[in-house]
Amino acid sequence: MSANPLALKIATPYARALYDFSVEQNIMHQVTADFQNLEVFLTKTPELTEYLSNPVIGVKQKEDVLTKTLKSQLNSETFKFLMVLVKRDRINLLSSVIVSYLELVYKTASVKMIEVSTAFPFTTVQKLNLIKKLKELTNAREIRLVVTVDSSLIGGFLIKTNSKVIDFTIKNQLENLAKHLDGVLEI
C-alpha cells in the first residue's frame, strides 16, 4: 500500500484516466480484478518489476515480455493500458498506478484499505473480528486488510489507515514503560 509519493503524484493522472475509462466502458470490475491480481503478481516477481523499470531495456523487449507473461491473463483493455504505459516510458510506475487506481475504486465503493502489522499471523476468526470492528469504527461497507507479519513487535498489532496509527504492540508498550521509568528514576 505504501508507495513513493512522487511516483504516486505522476501515476495518479494515469490511474484517474483508466478509472474514468473503465467506468465509462462498464468494465471497472474486470480492470479492478486485473489490478488486484497484478499487484499480487508483481509482489511475488520483483525481477519483473526490475526488468520493466530498467531504462536500458527497450520498449519492444518490454512489450514482448508483457505479451508473453500477462496478455492471456488480463482483460484486453487492461493489457492495452499496460502497453500505453510502456510506450510512454511510464511502465516503471505500474505499482504506483495500481495503488492509485485501487484507491479510487475503494473510495467510490466505500472500501477502506488498512495496513496491519502483527507479530504473529491472525487466525481467520481474529481477522474477521478485526474487520468487523474496523467496519464499525470507520463506517466503511468493506475493509481490505493488508497484513504484514513483523516478529520485532513481540506481540499485539499496529493498525495504519490514511490518517491514523493505532499501536497495540507489546514493543510500543515496553518503550512507553521504559520512558516512564526513565522519567520517574531521574531525581
Side-chain angles (χ1 to χ4, degrees), residues 46-113:
E47 55 278 349
L48 176 62
T49 304
E50 289 175 25
Y51 183 85
L52 295 174
S53 297
N54 189 335
V56 177
I57 297 171
V59 170
K60 181 72 174 123
Q61 291 92 336
K62 291 177 183 180
E63 286 176 345
D64 290 345
V65 166
L66 289 174
T67 301
K68 289 176 186 169
T69 57
L70 297 174
K71 187 171 186 175
S72 63
Q73 307 297 318
L74 300 174
N75 174 297
S76 63
E77 298 302 328
T78 305
F79 186 75
K80 287 178 190 173
F81 178 77
L82 294 183
M83 292 297 106
V84 167
L85 291 178
V86 171
K87 285 180 177 70
R88 292 188 177 180
D89 199 25
R90 295 292 193 202
I91 195 66
N92 60 318
L93 299 173
L94 181 57
S95 294
S96 297
V97 171
I98 290 171
V99 167
S100 292
Y101 176 85
L102 292 176
E103 283 178 359
L104 286 169
V105 170
Y106 296 154
K107 186 175 180 182
T108 303
S110 187
V111 175
K112 295 276 187 202
M113 288 282 294

